[in-house]
């Protein structure tokens, strides 16, 4: 090989240590988001807490390591730092879910709810990695300024590699325990590189024991309660953790630990969750009859429950679906069944970007991209509502499925969204699906027509029009003219969705199952 393409020298042991510490610390930071999301969501508070704890732990490690480096920096101590870090990562893999769920029960304000879990799980290993740079600088010797600059540049390059490798390689291809295994083994490899050539003695034994502990932890996959039932599919996507779980005759799609869509395996077109029935109610707000509706858009695909039923129930309707996560589309196609039909069009991408680019107009747009604790703010603002209105026919209807409370302190997001839609649409209606002031699915319907439809008129249309299901009981929750003086209009330059959702965090989320006499509810603190 041409010597021009060979490095001038191999990296020294301190250089290797600094580079790997950067890779590992940044990888752990991204992994933290995946471990915390099922309990605490992906809000700005969760990520702000992660960044803050990691920076604080690194700073403390730099400080303590710097004070100790002059007196006791050695290759053996660097080996100990990496092995302790790897062993702690094994504990994170094994007990991470248990710690997250336990700390989620602490009576803390929602903004700070994730901090105990972040601190317990990721503070100690990040603190230990903070020792690496000052130890390496001391061991490298030479001019203090030049050495320090070289060391911290290498650490930063390692962090860049760790960020890109974790984001673009590890997360899309591996599970959380496997990602933890890779990051832990990177610390073990660094320990082995620093310990060489003394791996045949105690150092080699310690390296081997810690590596085995990591492999065992990843094989177990975590201790703690999980979703019940048979896991049909599980993967880390570019956007979230995805699981498809069968329990009895029901197949459920979980995204970041929260049920997103469900299907009856014996009757795929039966509505499992009550809120999906209201998608059909949108057809009562148009002046056109059902057989005159020709195009419907779903923003947010999930398990494609609503799009599939619309496709099957309304033979004149072309259904377009926009889903940002291609892995969700693949899972829905394989496990829930996306119709292979010219009337079913699937687009992978952002909902707002699709509406900006499409030349289609729609009779109905169903906005089903919100979650309880993670709402893409760009789909909530007045600018987005104007865009959606522009893509609706003159008689078009927008239906938004959101999770909030209809009244009380936990209703702020619902009422802000209601107020935002009223800025654009002449008439806005809502239908809570569970009753009472609890957190639940609320369906907001906005129309481009200015005349107000009363509940009696809607009931008459439901009796007259064949929308495939009986909506007479569902329409009893009809609401309009909500109080909104104390909430903001959401705009692109100010959409405080996370703070508006704060009051709903930790509240009992009541998700009603269709055709059941009892409500099925689940409590979340994220």
């Amino acid at each position: 090989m041409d010597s021009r393409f060979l490095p001038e020298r191999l990296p020294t042991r301190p250089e290797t240590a600094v580079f790997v510490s950067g890779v590992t610390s940044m990888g752990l930071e991204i992994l933290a988001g995946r471990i915390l999301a099922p309990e605490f969501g992906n809000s700005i508070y969760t990520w702000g807490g992660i960044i803050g704890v990691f920076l604080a732990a690194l700073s403390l490690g730099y400080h303590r390591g710097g004070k100790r480096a002059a007196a006791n920096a050695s290759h053996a101590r660097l080996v100990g730092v990496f092995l302790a870090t790897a062993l702690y990562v094994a504990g994170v893999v094994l007990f991470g879910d248990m710690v997250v769920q336990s700390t989620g029960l602490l009576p803390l304000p929602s903004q700070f709810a994730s901090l105990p879990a972040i601190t317990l799980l990721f503070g100690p290993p990040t603190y230990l990695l903070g020792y690496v740079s000052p130890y390496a600088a001391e061991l490298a010797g030479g001019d203090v300024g030049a050495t320090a600059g070289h060391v911290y540049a290498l650490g930063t390059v390692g962090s860049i590699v760790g960020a890109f490798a974790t984001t673009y390689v590890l997360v899309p291809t591996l599970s959380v325990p496997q990602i933890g295994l890779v990051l832990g083994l990177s610390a073990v490899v660094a320990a082995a590189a620093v310990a060489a050539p003394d791996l045949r003695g105690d150092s080699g034994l310690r390296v081997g024991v810690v590596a085995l502990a990591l492999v065992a932890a990843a094989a177990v996959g975590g201790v703690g309660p999980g979703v019940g039932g048979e896991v049909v599919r599980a993967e880390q996507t570019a956007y979230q953790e995805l699981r498809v779980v069968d329990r009895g005759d029901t197949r459920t799609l979980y995204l970041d630990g929260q049920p997103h869509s469900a299907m009856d395996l014996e009757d795929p077109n039966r509505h499992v969750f009550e809120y999906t029935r209201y998608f059909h109610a949108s057809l009562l707000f148009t002046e056109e009859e059902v057989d005159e509706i020709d195009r419907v858009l779903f923003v947010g695909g999930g398990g494609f429950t609503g799009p599939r039923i619309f496709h099957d129930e309304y033979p004149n309707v072309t259904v377009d679906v926009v889903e940002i996560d291609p892995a969700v589309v693949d899972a829905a196609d394989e496990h829930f069944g996306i119709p292979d039909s010219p009337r079913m069009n699937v687009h992978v991408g952002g909902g707002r970007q699709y509406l900006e680019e499409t030349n289609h107009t729609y009779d109905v747009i169903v906005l089903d991209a919100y979650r309880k604790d993670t709402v893409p703010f760009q789909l909530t603002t007045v600018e987005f509502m104007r865009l959606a209105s522009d893509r609706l026919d003159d008689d078009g209807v927008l239906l938004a499925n959101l999770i909030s409370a209809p009244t009380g302190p936990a209703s702020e997001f619902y009422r802000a969204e209601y107020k935002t839609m009223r800025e654009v649409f002449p008439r806005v209606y809502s239908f809570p699906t569970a009753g009472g002031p609890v957190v639940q699915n609320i369906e907001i319907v906005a129309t481009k027509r200015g005349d107000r439809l009363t509940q009696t008129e809607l009931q008459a249309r439901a009796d007259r029009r064949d929308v495939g299901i009986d909506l007479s009981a569902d329409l009893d929750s009809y609401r309009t003219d909500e109080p909104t003086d104390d909430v903001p209009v959401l705009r692109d330059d100010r959409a405080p969705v996370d703070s508006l959702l704060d009051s709903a965090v930790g509240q009992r989320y009541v998700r009603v199952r269709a055709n059941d006499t009892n409500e099925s509810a689940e409590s979340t603190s994220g």
Side-chain angles (χ1 to χ4, degrees):
M1 180 180 292
D2 193 327
S3 61
R4 292 176 298 172
F5 299 100
L6 293 175
E8 293 183 4
R9 61 175 178 83
L10 294 175
T12 64
R13 287 186 286 175
E15 288 173 336
T16 300
V18 171
F19 177 81
V20 174
S21 72
V23 172
T24 306
S25 63
M26 186 55 70
L28 287 175
E29 190 167 343
I30 296 171
L31 178 64
R34 288 309 174 105
I35 291 177
L36 295 163
E39 183 71 21
F40 302 108
N42 275 310
S43 74
I44 190 173
Y45 300 120
T46 301
W47 276 106
I50 291 170
I51 294 169
V53 168
F54 270 75
L55 290 175
L58 278 174
S59 297
L60 185 59
Y62 292 151
H63 174 71
R64 296 290 295 171
K67 293 185 71 172
R68 295 185 177 185
N72 60 16
S74 67
H75 291 102
R77 291 186 182 277
L78 267 181
V79 171
V81 166
F82 278 115
L83 291 182
T85 300
L87 197 59
Y88 204 96
V89 171
V92 171
V93 170
L94 197 58
F95 301 109
D97 288 344
M98 182 182 296
V99 171
V100 166
Q101 292 169 21
S102 298
T103 56
L105 300 176
L106 296 174
L108 293 173
S110 58
Q111 302 98 313
F112 311 111
S114 62
L115 287 177
I118 302 168
T119 303
L120 287 172
L121 291 174
F122 298 99
T126 308
Y127 166 75
L128 289 170
L129 290 171
Y131 274 66
V132 174
S133 291
Y135 272 39
E138 181 68 25
L139 292 170
D143 178 76
V144 174
T147 300
H150 181 63
V151 163
Y152 287 104
L154 274 176
T156 302
V157 171
S159 295
I160 294 169
V161 172
F164 282 112
T166 306
T167 300
Y168 294 107
V169 179
L170 299 185
V171 169
T173 58
L174 301 178
S175 66
V176 164
Q178 291 169 337
I179 296 170
L181 173 63
V182 171
L183 296 175
L185 287 179
S186 70
V188 172
V189 170
V194 173
D198 300 324
L199 284 176
R200 295 181 181 178
D202 291 342
S203 294
L205 179 62
R206 286 188 295 156
V207 167
V209 168
V210 173
L212 286 175
L214 277 164
V215 172
V220 171
V223 176
V227 296
E230 177 189 356
V231 178
V232 178
R233 182 179 183 137
E235 64 179 294
Q236 292 289 329
T237 80
Y239 295 90
Q240 57 216 328
E241 179 194 55
L242 180 154
R243 288 190 181 188
V244 178
V245 178
D246 287 351
R247 186 184 298 112
D249 293 332
T250 302
R251 173 166 291 172
T252 304
L253 171 68
Y254 289 85
L255 299 177
D256 280 339
Q258 303 298 320
H260 192 277
S261 302
M263 179 180 72
D264 187 324
L265 293 171
E266 295 188 354
D267 183 6
N269 280 352
R270 183 179 77 82
H271 292 273
V272 176
F273 293 133
E274 176 72 13
Y275 78 88
T276 61
R277 293 169 54 86
Y278 285 87
F279 295 168
H280 301 269
S282 61
L283 305 182
L284 303 178
F285 287 86
T286 68
E287 292 302 309
E288 296 177 318
E289 296 299 321
V290 174
D291 58 3
E292 297 175 313
I293 303 296
D294 62 6
R295 202 168 197 107
V296 174
L297 171 67
F298 283 80
V299 178
F304 279 66
T305 302
R308 186 186 64 251
I309 294 176
F310 262 60
H311 172 274
D312 294 347
E313 290 288 341
Y314 308 121
N316 295 327
V317 172
T318 295
V319 180
D320 291 338
V321 185
V322 185
E323 168 59 51
I324 196 169
D325 192 339
V328 169
V329 175
D330 291 341
D333 193 29
E334 180 176 354
H335 301 290
F336 292 84
I338 299 176
D340 182 10
S341 163
R343 292 192 298 109
M344 174 67 75
N345 304 306
V346 180
H347 307 271
V348 176
R352 184 162 174 169
Q353 289 73 20
Y354 173 82
L355 285 173
E356 288 171 344
E357 296 169 2
T358 186
N359 56 6
H360 291 301
T361 58
Y362 294 92
D363 297 288
V364 174
I365 295 176
V366 177
L367 183 56
D368 192 21
Y370 301 165
R371 296 195 218 167
K372 177 178 181 291
D373 50 16
T374 306
V375 174
F377 84 89
Q378 69 273 15
L379 301 182
T380 69
T381 63
V382 68
E383 290 86 355
F384 172 78
M385 297 305 166
R386 291 190 184 116
L387 175 62
S389 177
D390 289 343
R391 296 298 181 269
L392 286 168
D393 294 334
D394 292 339
D395 191 32
V397 175
L398 172 67
L399 184 147
N401 169 44
L402 58 86
I403 300 172
S404 184
T407 58
S411 69
E412 287 184 315
F413 172 58
Y414 156 63
R415 292 184 296 110
E417 188 70 313
Y418 188 99
K419 184 176 185 177
T420 302
M421 295 171 80
R422 279 296 306 269
E423 287 285 306
V424 177
F425 293 93
R427 288 292 174 184
V428 180
Y429 312 81
S430 65
F431 298 88
T433 61
V438 297
V439 175
Q440 59 193 279
N441 292 84
I442 303 177
E443 311 310 305
I444 305 182
V445 179
T447 66
K448 297 181 72 171
R449 297 180 64 88
D451 51 321
R452 175 176 173 176
L453 285 170
T454 66
Q455 184 178 353
T456 301
E457 290 170 327
L458 283 174
Q459 290 283 8
R461 288 187 178 187
D463 293 339
R464 186 177 72 251
R465 295 182 180 182
D466 181 14
V467 296
I469 59 174
D470 180 8
L471 291 171
S472 55
D474 305 85
L475 296 176
D476 288 342
S477 63
Y478 172 100
R479 298 170 66 103
T480 189
D481 298 328
E482 298 285 36
T484 59
D485 290 344
D486 61 332
V487 291
V489 172
L490 304 176
R491 303 184 186 280
D492 281 353
D493 61 356
R494 186 176 182 270
V497 172
D498 292 309
S499 61
L500 292 170
L501 290 168
D502 279 349
S503 55
V505 173
Q507 300 288 328
R508 185 171 179 254
Y509 168 28
V510 178
R511 183 189 295 265
V512 181
R513 288 184 174 270
N515 304 321
D516 285 354
T517 56
N518 297 319
E519 294 177 352
S520 173
E522 49 195 69
S523 296
T524 61
S525 57

